[in-house]
Amino acid sequence: MNATSKNDVVQLLLDQHAEIRKLFTQVENASGETRREKFDELRALLAVHETAEEEVVHPFSRGVLGKTSAEVDAIIGEEEQAKHVLKRLEKVGTGSPEFLPLFRELHDAVEKHARHEEREEFPRLRERAEPDELAGLATMVRAAEAVAPTHPHPGTDSATKNLIAGPMAAVADRARDAIRKARH
């Protein structure tokens, strides 16, 4: 994380988008245990990143930036679609012949979503939000990510749903991750 991302939610999210893109490439080019490890890393980053956007960024966009419900709903819909594909990928596993085609579908959907945010939502945040608001949002995003689930949970596509279901899902996810890590 660079110094700017500590004080600017847009830079924080752009840095995460860059890390997500890097992990997609690493998963696609890896095999065996390395592919599984990189996929687990990507899955966890996507899960916490999207949860934080749903809890913090999109409500701010809807309320303060005057984004219409349709605009925000479209972004949230993209996230929800990605959660469903990510969940299917978890079920099939990285060693399955189904994995790479499904993974490429996820990659395309996530890339489309990231470009949508980077071209529409993030520039508007920078234009209309004060620097102290951007810094406060960055702090809130990091806090949300610290307690977010690390696996996809389709249907938790709003701040309210994430706040209700998220803590229990996060505890279960993080326990499952620890057990899986201990086994490997």
Side-chain angles (χ1 to χ4, degrees), residues 120-176:
E120 296 177 30
E121 187 172 27
F122 296 172
R124 290 174 76 183
L125 277 171
R126 280 238 171 92
E127 286 173 12
R128 298 186 186 168
E130 296 296 324
D132 62 327
E133 289 176 307
L134 295 173
L137 287 169
T139 299
M140 291 170 65
V141 162
R142 285 191 298 279
E145 288 176 342
V147 297
T150 58
H151 293 263
H153 294 278
T156 55
D157 56 355
S158 70
T160 303
K161 290 176 185 176
N162 273 306
L163 292 171
I164 291 169
M168 293 304 288
V171 169
D173 287 355
R174 289 169 193 264
R176 179 170 48 163

Side-chain angles (χ1 to χ4, degrees), residues 56-74:
V56 177
V57 179
H58 303 322
F60 184 84
S61 292
R62 193 184 304 266
V64 175
L65 300 182
K67 288 184 73 76
T68 68
S69 290
E71 288 173 307
V72 175
D73 289 347

